[in-house]
Amino acid sequence: MDAFTGRVAKKPCLSIFLLALIVFMGLQYKPAILNYTTRFVDFAEYMLYHGVTLFPIADDLKPYPDYTVANTVLMYLVSLPFGQVSVLSMGLPYCITASLILVFIYKLGALHDRKWGLYGVLFSLLTWSFLDSVNSLALDVYPALFTVICFYLVYRADMKQDRSRQPLVYLALALGFAFRGPIGLIGPSIVVGCYYLLSRQWRALIVFSLLSGLIFAAGVALLSWAAYVQGGMDFLREVLMMQGLDRFASDHAPRYYFYFTGGLLTYGITVFFALQVIARRYKQFFRAPQKTDIALLFYLSAWFIGLIVFFTLPNSKKARYILSITPAISLLAAYIFVDKSGLFEGAKNGLLRFCLRLPLIGLGLVAFVFIYNFFAAHPLLPNYVGVLASLMLLVIARHMIGKHCADHRHRELIILLFGVTTFLALDAFFFNSITYHLELANEPTPKFLPYWFW
């Protein structure tokens, strides 16, 4: 056991990536693809049987204007060796992307303290909207990855006084555009621009603005060319509207409050603790000189607020559109475990108590649903076997933690990891199962696929 722990400690990024990949692949399990993601099945199957196209092709054999083709190409490449599209061949690109997000969250926090990075990873796994976006195959996972990569590269360059990797920032911006269109580049650009602005690097800000603008212009030109070649002038207009102008000029109600209320609530306890850190530390953001950890909190807060404000402007709003805030709020929330002033002692202890009680809360939810189903016209269907078995094991684990870990030097980490494990079990066997069956009952065209690649 000590040898295994030693290997994990020596290669934390690889360990985080592999463990996260296993978790995300496990959470992908479902008999059928539902809702808007059914179109991704059509895209991948068309490409598998007819070859690569410049835009995804829908089931009506027409190109689909709202998405670029990059994600479909990844699903096609994963499916190609097995000759069929499966749940895992569709989900693997998202699982890898989400795992890399966790790796870069760790690397960013570890620039100050490895403990900060590790707690940031755990808070990400406590973020419901992040898990749901991976499970539901939301393309916004890709901009979230490129955002954290861009910020890590520019922040590391200043901390280490090593700018040799900064050209990779522009590669990440180009990839963001390739996978999510214009908003895939704008989000990371806002985060990096805020960093240069607040750190008063005026020359770097001007250079970055010019180069990111050129990449944006080149991306729009290539997107327009591909749209024209694929479907002519009418399709080109449709692409430009759906991937850009229509997001601002759509007939959706503006709901300018959305990302400050319900949209933010889907990010759960992570955003609650992130806001608590901002509220208690913001006065130090404007004192000179800043400590390095306070400076990072300042930039993370700007990252969080900058994206919220920008995505408030378009009329079209969904909680997953701001998924790129996940790394920022996770590291902000994780600060309660690395702060040495004692200011967050109450918040930290409250969270740890909640983690220890989570299995019992879960059992209470199962009991409530079981009783509710006797009176409901449409019963809720959790995976009773999975959720009860996992929660009973976790109750036993809770007893072992109380008995053997009271004075352990990593007690807080063990308890938070216990809470994350419980939350993942509830997500897999309780919430996902209920949501799946509710959506299946209302889905006119479910796409039943094998889970495994073969």
Side-chain angles (χ1 to χ4, degrees):
M1 185 66 182
D2 290 339
F4 174 76
T5 306
R7 287 189 189 129
V8 170
K10 285 180 182 178
K11 297 183 177 178
C13 293
L14 179 61
S15 302
I16 290 169
F17 176 80
L18 294 176
L19 288 172
L21 185 61
I22 292 169
V23 168
F24 290 133
M25 289 175 68
L27 291 175
Q28 285 291 314
Y29 178 78
K30 47 190 168 284
I33 304 295
L34 308 174
N35 290 333
Y36 74 95
T37 49
T38 56
R39 67 189 66 156
F40 294 155
V41 180
D42 298 326
F43 299 161
E45 288 184 339
Y46 184 92
M47 193 171 286
L48 187 62
Y49 300 135
H50 299 92
V52 178
T53 54
L54 293 175
F55 273 83
I57 305 297
D59 58 349
D60 60 0
L61 302 183
K62 294 181 180 178
Y64 199 83
D66 200 21
Y67 305 125
T68 60
V69 78
N71 177 63
T72 305
V73 170
L74 288 185
M75 292 190 293
Y76 159 73
L77 292 174
V78 177
S79 303
L80 189 61
F82 306 99
Q84 67 173 0
V85 177
S86 65
V87 172
L88 276 185
S89 69
M90 290 186 62
L92 186 62
Y94 296 89
C95 296
I96 291 174
T97 302
S99 301
L100 287 173
I101 290 173
L102 297 187
V103 168
F104 277 95
I105 288 173
Y106 171 79
K107 288 171 71 70
L108 180 55
L111 289 173
H112 292 265
D113 186 339
R114 295 175 68 178
K115 182 179 173 183
W116 196 349
L118 190 55
Y119 280 107
V121 169
L122 294 178
F123 268 103
S124 296
L125 293 173
L126 281 173
T127 307
W128 182 84
S129 202
F130 176 60
L131 296 179
D132 182 63
S133 295
V134 179
N135 294 343
S136 62
L137 309 184
L139 291 176
D140 306 275
V141 172
Y142 295 108
L145 172 61
F146 299 125
T147 300
V148 69
I149 288 175
C150 286
F151 184 85
Y152 170 77
L153 289 171
V154 297
Y155 186 73
R156 179 189 179 279
D158 287 340
M159 277 205 70
K160 303 290 186 181
Q161 294 299 304
D162 176 14
R163 303 186 183 279
S164 61
R165 299 183 186 179
Q166 276 202 291
L168 295 175
V169 172
Y170 302 104
L171 174 60
L173 292 179
L175 288 172
F177 193 105
F179 278 93
R180 197 62 179 99
I183 62 172
L185 182 147
I186 293 173
S189 297
I190 288 172
V191 171
V192 175
C194 286
Y195 172 74
Y196 283 139
L197 177 67
L198 295 176
S199 59
R200 301 179 181 181
Q201 299 184 52
W202 310 119
R203 182 175 178 276
L205 177 61
I206 292 170
V207 171
F208 174 77
S209 299
L210 290 173
L211 291 177
S212 59
L214 288 174
I215 294 170
F216 182 82
V220 171
L222 284 171
L223 186 69
S224 301
W225 170 82
Y228 181 77
V229 171
Q230 183 76 60
M233 186 58 69
D234 290 339
F235 183 66
L236 167 58
R237 292 194 192 97
E238 201 173 356
V239 167
L240 293 178
M241 283 300 296
M242 292 193 71
Q243 296 207 27
L245 300 176
D246 199 41
R247 296 184 183 277
F248 288 87
S250 70
D251 57 359
H252 292 87
R255 297 184 302 159
Y256 295 118
Y257 57 85
F258 178 73
Y259 290 129
F260 299 94
T261 54
L264 211 54
L265 287 176
T266 62
Y267 289 80
I269 63 171
T270 303
V271 79
F272 171 77
F273 287 105
L275 289 172
Q276 194 170 27
V277 169
I278 293 172
R280 294 192 178 187
R281 285 295 189 207
Y282 78 94
K283 291 181 180 179
Q284 297 185 29
F285 293 167
F286 306 101
R287 293 177 184 172
Q290 281 182 337
K291 296 180 181 178
T292 55
D293 59 338
I294 298 298
L296 179 57
L297 292 179
F298 183 33
Y299 301 136
L300 292 172
S301 302
W303 172 349
F304 168 45
I305 296 169
L307 289 181
I308 292 288
V309 170
F310 170 76
F311 281 101
T312 294
L313 300 178
N315 287 352
S316 179
K317 294 179 178 66
K318 293 180 181 177
R320 65 175 182 268
Y321 289 172
I322 58 168
L323 190 67
S324 295
I325 69 171
T326 301
I329 61 174
S330 297
L331 287 167
L332 282 166
Y335 184 72
I336 67 174
F337 286 96
V338 296
D339 174 68
K340 295 179 173 61
S341 69
L343 185 62
F344 300 100
E345 199 68 24
K348 180 175 66 176
N349 291 333
L351 175 60
L352 295 177
R353 285 194 298 271
F354 173 76
C355 289
L356 290 172
R357 292 169 184 167
L358 197 52
L360 294 179
I361 295 172
L363 289 172
L365 288 173
V366 174
F368 172 79
V369 167
F370 183 76
I371 296 169
Y372 168 84
N373 286 343
F374 284 107
F375 309 97
H378 302 286
L380 305 177
L381 298 173
N383 183 337
Y384 283 110
V385 174
V387 72
L388 288 173
S390 59
L391 288 177
M392 292 308 296
L393 287 172
L394 286 162
V395 167
I396 296 170
R398 161 70 179 86
H399 174 72
M400 300 298 290
I401 289 172
K403 187 176 180 180
H404 299 290
C405 298
D407 299 317
H408 198 285
R409 64 192 181 101
H410 297 306
R411 172 182 167 274
E412 293 175 350
L413 179 62
I414 292 169
I415 293 175
L416 187 61
L417 181 60
F418 173 81
V420 169
T421 304
T422 308
F423 182 72
L424 291 173
L426 286 171
D427 187 57
F429 299 118
F430 188 78
F431 298 113
N432 281 357
S433 180
I434 289 174
T435 303
Y436 172 80
H437 286 98
L438 289 174
E439 292 177 348
L440 181 62
N442 297 312
E443 176 57 56
T445 57
K447 303 286 187 178
F448 290 94
L449 297 174
Y451 171 70
W452 298 105
F453 297 106
W454 47 87

Short mmCIF file of all heavy atoms in Angstrom, two decimals, residues 29-35 37-38 41-42 45 49 84-87 90 436-437 439-441 443-452:
data_model
loop_
_atom_site.label_atom_id
_atom_site.label_comp_id
_atom_site.label_asym_id
_atom_site.label_seq_id
_atom_site.Cartn_x
_atom_site.Cartn_y
_atom_site.Cartn_z
N TYR A 29 -22.51 5.32 -18.20
CA TYR A 29 -23.38 4.16 -18.47
C TYR A 29 -24.85 4.55 -18.57
O TYR A 29 -25.40 5.19 -17.69
CB TYR A 29 -23.23 3.09 -17.39
CG TYR A 29 -24.17 1.92 -17.65
CD1 TYR A 29 -23.85 0.97 -18.61
CD2 TYR A 29 -25.39 1.83 -16.99
CE1 TYR A 29 -24.71 -0.07 -18.89
CE2 TYR A 29 -26.26 0.79 -17.26
CZ TYR A 29 -25.91 -0.15 -18.21
OH TYR A 29 -26.78 -1.18 -18.49
N LYS A 30 -25.46 4.16 -19.68
CA LYS A 30 -26.89 4.31 -19.90
C LYS A 30 -27.26 3.47 -21.12
O LYS A 30 -26.47 3.34 -22.06
CB LYS A 30 -27.28 5.78 -20.11
CG LYS A 30 -26.39 6.53 -21.09
CD LYS A 30 -26.69 8.01 -21.04
CE LYS A 30 -25.64 8.85 -21.77
NZ LYS A 30 -24.40 8.98 -21.02
N PRO A 31 -28.47 2.90 -21.14
CA PRO A 31 -28.86 2.07 -22.30
C PRO A 31 -29.10 2.87 -23.57
O PRO A 31 -28.98 2.34 -24.67
CB PRO A 31 -30.17 1.41 -21.82
CG PRO A 31 -30.14 1.51 -20.34
CD PRO A 31 -29.42 2.79 -20.04
N ALA A 32 -29.49 4.15 -23.43
CA ALA A 32 -29.85 4.93 -24.62
C ALA A 32 -29.39 6.37 -24.47
O ALA A 32 -29.28 6.90 -23.37
CB ALA A 32 -31.36 4.88 -24.85
N ILE A 33 -29.15 7.00 -25.61
CA ILE A 33 -28.85 8.43 -25.67
C ILE A 33 -30.16 9.18 -25.86
O ILE A 33 -30.98 8.82 -26.71
CB ILE A 33 -27.89 8.74 -26.84
CG1 ILE A 33 -26.60 7.91 -26.73
CG2 ILE A 33 -27.57 10.23 -26.89
CD1 ILE A 33 -25.75 8.23 -25.53
N LEU A 34 -30.37 10.23 -25.07
CA LEU A 34 -31.64 10.94 -25.06
C LEU A 34 -31.45 12.43 -25.31
O LEU A 34 -30.33 12.94 -25.31
CB LEU A 34 -32.35 10.75 -23.71
CG LEU A 34 -32.52 9.31 -23.21
CD1 LEU A 34 -33.09 9.30 -21.80
CD2 LEU A 34 -33.43 8.52 -24.14
N ASN A 35 -32.57 13.11 -25.52
CA ASN A 35 -32.63 14.58 -25.66
C ASN A 35 -31.80 15.07 -26.83
O ASN A 35 -31.65 14.38 -27.84
CB ASN A 35 -32.20 15.26 -24.36
CG ASN A 35 -33.24 15.05 -23.27
OD1 ASN A 35 -34.42 14.87 -23.56
ND2 ASN A 35 -32.82 15.07 -22.03
N THR A 37 -28.75 15.23 -27.35
CA THR A 37 -27.54 14.47 -27.71
C THR A 37 -27.83 13.35 -28.69
O THR A 37 -26.89 12.75 -29.22
CB THR A 37 -26.86 13.91 -26.45
OG1 THR A 37 -27.83 13.25 -25.64
CG2 THR A 37 -26.23 15.01 -25.63
N THR A 38 -29.12 13.06 -28.95
CA THR A 38 -29.42 12.04 -29.97
C THR A 38 -28.88 12.48 -31.34
O THR A 38 -28.53 11.64 -32.16
CB THR A 38 -30.93 11.79 -30.08
OG1 THR A 38 -31.61 13.03 -30.35
CG2 THR A 38 -31.48 11.20 -28.78
N VAL A 41 -25.48 11.14 -32.13
CA VAL A 41 -25.46 9.77 -32.66
C VAL A 41 -25.60 9.81 -34.18
O VAL A 41 -24.86 9.13 -34.91
CB VAL A 41 -26.59 8.92 -32.04
CG1 VAL A 41 -26.55 7.50 -32.60
CG2 VAL A 41 -26.47 8.89 -30.52
N ASP A 42 -26.53 10.62 -34.67
CA ASP A 42 -26.72 10.76 -36.12
C ASP A 42 -25.45 11.29 -36.78
O ASP A 42 -25.02 10.79 -37.83
CB ASP A 42 -27.89 11.70 -36.42
CG ASP A 42 -29.21 11.17 -35.88
OD1 ASP A 42 -29.39 9.93 -35.88
OD2 ASP A 42 -30.05 11.98 -35.46
N GLU A 45 -22.73 8.45 -36.72
CA GLU A 45 -23.05 7.31 -37.59
C GLU A 45 -22.94 7.70 -39.06
O GLU A 45 -22.46 6.91 -39.88
CB GLU A 45 -24.45 6.78 -37.27
CG GLU A 45 -24.49 6.03 -35.94
CD GLU A 45 -25.85 5.42 -35.66
OE1 GLU A 45 -26.85 5.88 -36.27
OE2 GLU A 45 -25.92 4.49 -34.82
N TYR A 49 -20.20 5.90 -41.66
CA TYR A 49 -20.60 5.16 -42.86
C TYR A 49 -20.31 5.88 -44.16
O TYR A 49 -20.25 5.26 -45.23
CB TYR A 49 -22.10 4.83 -42.79
CG TYR A 49 -22.47 3.99 -41.59
CD1 TYR A 49 -23.58 4.31 -40.81
CD2 TYR A 49 -21.69 2.91 -41.20
CE1 TYR A 49 -23.91 3.56 -39.69
CE2 TYR A 49 -22.01 2.16 -40.08
CZ TYR A 49 -23.12 2.49 -39.33
OH TYR A 49 -23.44 1.74 -38.22
N GLN A 84 -18.64 0.57 -35.06
CA GLN A 84 -19.97 0.97 -34.59
C GLN A 84 -19.85 2.11 -33.60
O GLN A 84 -18.81 2.31 -32.96
CB GLN A 84 -20.68 -0.21 -33.93
CG GLN A 84 -20.05 -0.65 -32.62
CD GLN A 84 -20.86 -1.72 -31.89
OE1 GLN A 84 -21.92 -2.13 -32.37
NE2 GLN A 84 -20.39 -2.16 -30.74
N VAL A 85 -20.93 2.86 -33.48
CA VAL A 85 -21.02 3.91 -32.47
C VAL A 85 -21.59 3.31 -31.20
O VAL A 85 -22.58 2.59 -31.22
CB VAL A 85 -21.91 5.07 -32.96
CG1 VAL A 85 -22.06 6.13 -31.88
CG2 VAL A 85 -21.33 5.69 -34.23
N SER A 86 -20.95 3.58 -30.07
CA SER A 86 -21.41 3.07 -28.78
C SER A 86 -21.46 4.23 -27.78
O SER A 86 -20.99 5.34 -28.07
CB SER A 86 -20.48 1.98 -28.26
OG SER A 86 -19.19 2.50 -27.99
N VAL A 87 -22.02 3.96 -26.62
CA VAL A 87 -22.07 4.99 -25.57
C VAL A 87 -20.67 5.44 -25.21
O VAL A 87 -20.39 6.64 -25.08
CB VAL A 87 -22.82 4.45 -24.33
CG1 VAL A 87 -22.70 5.43 -23.17
CG2 VAL A 87 -24.29 4.20 -24.66
N MET A 90 -18.84 7.48 -27.98
CA MET A 90 -19.30 8.86 -28.00
C MET A 90 -18.81 9.64 -26.78
O MET A 90 -18.48 10.81 -26.87
CB MET A 90 -20.84 8.89 -28.03
CG MET A 90 -21.45 8.42 -29.33
SD MET A 90 -23.24 8.65 -29.33
CE MET A 90 -23.36 10.42 -29.18
N TYR A 436 -32.71 9.82 -16.06
CA TYR A 436 -32.74 9.02 -17.29
C TYR A 436 -34.14 8.48 -17.56
O TYR A 436 -34.66 8.59 -18.68
CB TYR A 436 -31.74 7.87 -17.19
CG TYR A 436 -31.85 6.89 -18.33
CD1 TYR A 436 -31.27 7.17 -19.57
CD2 TYR A 436 -32.57 5.70 -18.20
CE1 TYR A 436 -31.39 6.30 -20.63
CE2 TYR A 436 -32.69 4.82 -19.25
CZ TYR A 436 -32.10 5.11 -20.46
OH TYR A 436 -32.24 4.24 -21.52
N HIS A 437 -34.78 7.90 -16.56
CA HIS A 437 -36.10 7.30 -16.77
C HIS A 437 -37.17 8.35 -17.02
O HIS A 437 -38.10 8.12 -17.81
CB HIS A 437 -36.47 6.42 -15.57
CG HIS A 437 -35.72 5.13 -15.53
ND1 HIS A 437 -34.60 4.95 -14.74
CD2 HIS A 437 -35.90 3.96 -16.19
CE1 HIS A 437 -34.14 3.72 -14.91
NE2 HIS A 437 -34.91 3.11 -15.79
N GLU A 439 -36.63 11.25 -18.56
CA GLU A 439 -36.40 11.72 -19.92
C GLU A 439 -36.78 10.66 -20.95
O GLU A 439 -37.30 10.98 -22.03
CB GLU A 439 -34.94 12.13 -20.09
CG GLU A 439 -34.57 13.37 -19.29
CD GLU A 439 -33.09 13.73 -19.41
OE1 GLU A 439 -32.33 12.88 -19.93
OE2 GLU A 439 -32.71 14.82 -18.98
N LEU A 440 -36.52 9.39 -20.62
CA LEU A 440 -36.86 8.31 -21.55
C LEU A 440 -38.37 8.26 -21.80
O LEU A 440 -38.82 7.99 -22.93
CB LEU A 440 -36.38 6.96 -20.99
CG LEU A 440 -36.63 5.72 -21.86
CD1 LEU A 440 -35.88 5.84 -23.19
CD2 LEU A 440 -36.19 4.46 -21.12
N ALA A 441 -39.15 8.53 -20.76
CA ALA A 441 -40.61 8.49 -20.90
C ALA A 441 -41.12 9.57 -21.85
O ALA A 441 -42.19 9.42 -22.45
CB ALA A 441 -41.26 8.66 -19.53
N GLU A 443 -39.07 10.94 -24.38
CA GLU A 443 -38.20 11.02 -25.56
C GLU A 443 -38.85 10.29 -26.74
O GLU A 443 -39.05 9.07 -26.69
CB GLU A 443 -36.83 10.40 -25.25
CG GLU A 443 -35.87 10.33 -26.43
CD GLU A 443 -35.61 11.68 -27.05
OE1 GLU A 443 -35.17 12.59 -26.31
OE2 GLU A 443 -35.83 11.83 -28.25
N PRO A 444 -39.17 10.99 -27.82
CA PRO A 444 -39.82 10.33 -28.97
C PRO A 444 -38.88 9.43 -29.77
O PRO A 444 -39.31 8.45 -30.37
CB PRO A 444 -40.31 11.50 -29.82
CG PRO A 444 -39.42 12.65 -29.45
CD PRO A 444 -39.05 12.45 -28.01
N THR A 445 -37.58 9.77 -29.78
CA THR A 445 -36.64 9.00 -30.60
C THR A 445 -35.38 8.66 -29.81
O THR A 445 -34.29 9.18 -30.11
CB THR A 445 -36.26 9.80 -31.87
OG1 THR A 445 -35.72 11.07 -31.46
CG2 THR A 445 -37.46 10.01 -32.77
N PRO A 446 -35.47 7.80 -28.79
CA PRO A 446 -34.25 7.41 -28.07
C PRO A 446 -33.32 6.61 -28.97
O PRO A 446 -33.77 5.87 -29.85
CB PRO A 446 -34.79 6.55 -26.92
CG PRO A 446 -36.09 6.02 -27.42
CD PRO A 446 -36.67 7.09 -28.30
N LYS A 447 -32.03 6.77 -28.76
CA LYS A 447 -31.03 6.05 -29.54
C LYS A 447 -30.40 4.98 -28.65
O LYS A 447 -29.52 5.28 -27.82
CB LYS A 447 -29.95 7.01 -30.05
CG LYS A 447 -30.48 8.17 -30.88
CD LYS A 447 -30.89 7.71 -32.27
CE LYS A 447 -31.27 8.91 -33.14
NZ LYS A 447 -31.63 8.51 -34.51
N PHE A 448 -30.85 3.75 -28.78
CA PHE A 448 -30.31 2.66 -27.96
C PHE A 448 -28.99 2.18 -28.57
O PHE A 448 -28.93 1.82 -29.75
CB PHE A 448 -31.31 1.51 -27.88
CG PHE A 448 -32.52 1.83 -27.06
CD1 PHE A 448 -33.67 2.33 -27.65
CD2 PHE A 448 -32.49 1.67 -25.68
CE1 PHE A 448 -34.79 2.65 -26.89
CE2 PHE A 448 -33.59 1.98 -24.90
CZ PHE A 448 -34.74 2.48 -25.51
N LEU A 449 -27.95 2.21 -27.75
CA LEU A 449 -26.60 1.85 -28.21
C LEU A 449 -25.97 0.89 -27.22
O LEU A 449 -26.30 0.89 -26.02
CB LEU A 449 -25.72 3.10 -28.30
CG LEU A 449 -26.13 4.20 -29.29
CD1 LEU A 449 -25.22 5.41 -29.10
CD2 LEU A 449 -26.08 3.70 -30.71
N PRO A 450 -25.03 0.05 -27.68
CA PRO A 450 -24.23 -0.74 -26.72
C PRO A 450 -23.37 0.18 -25.88
O PRO A 450 -22.94 1.25 -26.35
CB PRO A 450 -23.39 -1.65 -27.60
CG PRO A 450 -23.31 -0.93 -28.93
CD PRO A 450 -24.60 -0.21 -29.09
N TYR A 451 -23.13 -0.22 -24.65
CA TYR A 451 -22.28 0.61 -23.77
C TYR A 451 -20.82 0.48 -24.16
O TYR A 451 -20.12 1.48 -24.31
CB TYR A 451 -22.48 0.21 -22.31
CG TYR A 451 -21.51 0.86 -21.37
CD1 TYR A 451 -21.57 2.22 -21.10
CD2 TYR A 451 -20.50 0.12 -20.74
CE1 TYR A 451 -20.68 2.83 -20.23
CE2 TYR A 451 -19.60 0.71 -19.88
CZ TYR A 451 -19.69 2.06 -19.63
OH TYR A 451 -18.79 2.65 -18.77
N TRP A 452 -20.34 -0.75 -24.31
CA TRP A 452 -18.93 -0.99 -24.62
C TRP A 452 -18.61 -0.65 -26.06
O TRP A 452 -19.49 -0.55 -26.89
CB TRP A 452 -18.55 -2.45 -24.33
CG TRP A 452 -18.72 -2.82 -22.89
CD1 TRP A 452 -19.71 -3.57 -22.34
CD2 TRP A 452 -17.88 -2.41 -21.80
NE1 TRP A 452 -19.54 -3.68 -20.98
CE2 TRP A 452 -18.43 -2.98 -20.63
CE3 TRP A 452 -16.72 -1.62 -21.71
CZ2 TRP A 452 -17.86 -2.78 -19.37
CZ3 TRP A 452 -16.17 -1.43 -20.46
CH2 TRP A 452 -16.72 -2.00 -19.31
#
